[in-house]
Structures are given as structure tokens and as C-alpha cells.
Amino acid sequence: MAESTTAPIRGPLLVVNSAAPTEAVGTTIVVRRLLEHFRREEVVFLARAANRHARLRVHAVHYPVVRGWAPRRGLRGERFTRVLAAAPMLTQGIAMALRYRPVAILGVFPDDGSLLTAWLLHRVTGIPLLAYFCDLYMEDRVGDGWEARLSRWLQPRVFRSARRLVVVNQGMADFYRERYGIDALVVPTCINQPIPAFAPPPPHHRPFRIGYSGNVNPTRIASLRALIEALGRDPGFEVRLFTPQPRADLERRGLRSGNASVEFVRDEATLVRRLEECDALFIPVAFDNGENTRDQLATSFGIKSYEYFLAQRPVVVHAPGDYFLTRFYRQHGCGIVVDDPAPAPVLEAFLRLREEPEVGAEMARRGLEALHGFEGSRVAAALRAEIGGLGR
């Protein structure tokens, strides 16, 4: 645990999130790592229970967690009923506010219901609201469906009510400054373990191992298919997918290959070690927007990058060249960016890493250097300072 040794804040932070801190979902992992820098008495947590199929093995959470009501996952209409769950969760939040006397509410998005709960709780109690956006909201809800209408109603109210908009990367901060003139506080994913000294990668395996970690969702699937199409029939390569989704589900979605393995690693430290057993790592992002808008994809920066940097292996990023993610990798020289959706350039990138190991070693070294900007104590200090200034 990386619990803070700085001066305590003057009351607990009430965090309203989509799921309990042990769930293997990007946003929840980001929040849990951040809160490891707060003392037990500085945090109370309101969320739905973690999905038992995607639950990580983590050290016991050291702050109180109240599990709010929510429908069981997989039911028809779940997305709608999760928003309706804001009503009982608001009741629980008011009880928590009366009991713990929080100094601020941290409402976490992406999840409409959690953001709505946090905003309503602020309106009822008057407790200052900090809105922590890990993805774009209204800009990613297009059309005239109920979710889009809710976003157009809720986001402006959250922006007006929040004492500060908090975002998870600089790409989002630049977007909100240019679009709305909002000066957001950047609180990225925390790296809570000591950043190791660089160790040159060992000789490549035969076959050459390529790793991917994370959920396989609509923003990843097309690019992962390109990876399988490029390498799936080549005995010189092996693909390792570290994901909670079962093989049968991936195969139904077109990820079928005789040289690909599927495994869910529940322990985060073990996952980094498994990534170290690979020779190169892969980050896929959709070229066709699909369910997400281009603005959303262009401002995202997945947490897998931090795990990849810790594993000290070169990275191939398959994404449009003007995204924040690809600009970051080019700026820091920590990976090869493939900005063509076709499979052939993906193959060329991995062939280069296999044939020029010194190139991959230099990229891995630069990735490790980039991690110093995400050291947990430094990241959490920015949020603690913001909370400390709420009473001024």
C-alpha cells in the first residue's frame, strides 16, 4: 500500500464510482491506485459490487466501501436500470454523508448512473463536487437516444456545479480547454511501485512472443483482428492475450488463431511478469469509430501503457496518427506507431522489432523513463492539494 505520508486532509473524500475497487475495469483500477495514497480515514467509497468474473486479487482495500444497489449484470435493459439505480444509491450516499461528514464528493465517469448519483448528492447536501472524467461523456453520446439526451442534460449541470473538473490525461485536458475554456486538473493513472532501473531485454524467444492485456471491446476488436490476420498463420510468431474474456467469446468475434493463447491474470504484479515473458506488446485502437466518437478515441490513453512500460518491452501502437496516444508514443520515442488499419504494416512493425533488437531495447528504455511522470505520490499530491483548497 502506498498510503500518503503528507498532511491529512480535513475530512474524508466520498468517492462515487461504477464498481467496487477490486474490479478489473480500467476506470476502477485508476481510482483504486489513486486512493492508495490516502489514509483509511480520508476515503469512503460508494459503488456497485465488482463483477465476480472480472475481480482482481488485490490487497484488502483499507477504506470503508458501501456497495450500492444495482441490477445483476447481463440482464436486458441493464444500462437503463443502472441509471435508475442512482435513486437508491443517492439514499445510501446521504446516509454516508451524515455519518462520515465528507469534505468533498469525487464523482467518477464513465458511468452515467455514478455521475448522476454524485451530482444529485452534491445538490442535496451542498458538499463540494469534483467531477473525475476518465472518458469524454456528452461528446461520445450521439444521436437522439435516451443516453444522449441524458448526457446533454447532465454534463452542463455537472460542469456548472463542480468545483473542479478532473481528467485522466493531458489529451482530455487540452480538449476541454479548447472546446469549453475549462482548465481541468490532470490526475493520471498512478504508478505505485518503485520504477525499476532499466534492464536490456533478453534474447528473443522462438517463436517471437507478442502480448496484449486488457478487455477486448469494440474499440479494440478490429485492430486485434488485423493482428491475428497478420501473424496468425505465421509459426514464427506467438500471440498471448491476457484478458478476462473466454476464448470461445473471442473466437466468436473473429479472434481465432492456432498460435494465440488466452489467459486472465487476476494479480497485477503477476500480469507485469507475464508481459515481461513477451518480446513485444501491442496496443490496438479503432480506426472506424464504431460505438465511440472520434473525439473519444482521440483523447483516450489506456492504463495498459503503464503496465507495458513496467514490463520493459517495446510496444507497437495500431491507431490513427493524430490521437493523443500516438502523439505520446512518438513524442517519447517509446514505441512504433502504425497509423494504417491494414494488417501488413502491423506485420512489418513486429518484423522490425524481431530483426533489430537494439531498436526495441531503446524503446523499452524510453518507456520506462516516461513512467516517472506518473509516480503515484506526485499524482495524488495534485488531487490532495485541490481537496485541501476547497475550504478557502
Side-chain angles (χ1 to χ4, degrees):
M1 183 189 305
E3 191 173 322
S4 174
T5 57
T6 59
I9 56 179
R10 58 186 180 81
L13 177 68
L14 171 52
V15 179
V16 183
N17 190 42
S18 60
T22 53
E23 185 164 295
V25 175
T27 300
T28 300
I29 294 171
V30 169
V31 173
R32 177 171 49 77
R33 291 179 181 176
L34 173 65
L35 297 181
E36 288 178 9
H37 295 272
F38 288 73
R39 297 176 175 85
R40 184 187 190 284
E41 65 274 13
E42 292 179 332
V43 175
V44 290
F45 200 101
L46 173 62
R48 291 182 281 275
N51 182 349
R52 63 186 180 87
H53 298 294
R55 191 177 296 143
L56 291 169
R57 292 195 192 100
V58 296
H59 297 299
V61 175
H62 64 290
Y63 40 81
V65 176
V66 175
R67 288 172 173 81
W69 178 88
R72 183 168 55 85
R73 286 173 171 80
L75 296 178
R76 186 173 181 177
E78 176 191 353
R79 294 171 75 171
F80 181 70
T81 53
R82 286 175 67 178
V83 172
L84 292 181
M89 290 187 70
L90 172 62
T91 302
Q92 290 170 298
I94 293 172
M96 294 172 71
L98 292 172
R99 177 180 178 183
Y100 293 104
R101 303 292 180 182
V103 67
I105 299 165
L106 184 71
V108 182
F109 180 82
D111 179 74
D112 307 68
S114 299
L115 185 64
L116 177 59
T117 300
W119 179 75
L120 290 171
L121 189 56
H122 156 74
R123 295 287 293 175
V124 170
T125 65
I127 299 169
L129 173 66
L130 300 173
Y132 191 10
F133 277 38
C134 297
D135 282 316
L136 300 187
Y137 180 27
M138 185 182 74
E139 299 78 13
D140 198 41
R141 300 286 197 271
V142 296
D144 199 40
W146 70 267
E147 290 174 298
R149 293 196 300 272
L150 174 62
S151 72
R152 291 194 293 269
W153 180 86
L154 180 56
Q155 177 167 295
R157 286 167 172 79
V158 169
F159 283 180
R160 288 195 297 268
S161 297
R163 292 288 293 271
R164 192 74 184 271
L165 176 63
V166 185
V167 296
V168 79
N169 67 58
Q170 188 61 48
M172 292 182 66
D174 294 341
F175 176 88
Y176 285 121
R177 183 181 301 109
E178 293 167 7
R179 180 69 61 91
Y180 302 109
I182 295 174
D183 182 22
L185 174 67
V186 180
V187 178
T189 298
C190 291
I191 300 300
N192 291 341
Q193 61 194 88
I195 297 175
F198 174 66
H204 295 153
H205 298 89
R206 296 177 183 270
F208 189 86
R209 297 177 182 173
I210 297 166
Y212 166 81
S213 74
N215 288 293
V216 177
N217 57 37
T219 67
R220 314 288 181 189
I221 189 68
S223 189
L224 283 167
R225 288 191 192 114
L227 174 72
I228 295 299
E229 184 176 342
L231 309 176
R233 298 180 182 88
D234 190 333
F237 291 95
E238 175 186 336
V239 179
R240 298 187 171 190
L241 304 175
F242 300 102
T243 177
Q245 283 130 310
R247 175 184 285 275
D249 178 53
L250 300 182
E251 290 183 349
R252 281 194 298 270
R253 302 172 74 180
L255 301 183
R256 183 186 299 272
S257 172
N259 65 353
S261 63
V262 180
E263 178 185 359
F264 179 38
V265 181
R266 294 182 181 273
D267 180 76
E268 291 177 316
T270 302
L271 175 60
V272 172
R273 291 196 294 270
R274 298 305 305 275
L275 294 173
E276 289 174 354
E277 296 170 1
C278 298
D279 300 305
L281 304 169
F282 187 58
I283 294 183
V285 182
F287 288 78
D288 180 2
N289 300 344
E291 294 184 3
N292 296 99
T293 63
R294 197 175 196 283
D295 285 337
Q296 163 60 23
L297 297 178
T299 55
S300 65
F301 191 85
I303 66 168
K304 61 177 55 64
S305 288
Y306 310 103
E307 298 164 346
Y308 287 9
F309 294 155
L310 283 171
Q312 301 186 55
R313 296 296 177 265
V315 180
V316 171
V317 179
H318 193 215
D322 60 340
Y323 284 8
F324 172 69
L325 174 72
T326 50
R327 296 200 312 271
F328 180 95
Y329 273 83
R330 282 175 168 152
Q331 176 187 347
H332 291 276
C334 51
I336 296 177
V337 172
V338 177
D339 55 8
D340 185 327
V346 175
L347 174 60
E348 292 172 6
F350 284 114
L351 285 173
R352 183 187 179 196
L353 292 176
R354 188 175 69 177
E355 295 165 4
E356 302 178 39
E358 69 284 358
V359 171
E362 177 61 13
M363 290 177 177
R365 185 189 67 79
R366 292 185 178 186
L368 199 64
E369 285 183 352
L371 274 184
H372 288 282
F374 305 97
E375 289 176 302
S377 57
R378 181 185 307 175
V379 171
L383 181 61
R384 295 179 67 89
E386 187 70 27
I387 297 169
L390 289 175
R392 297 172 189 169

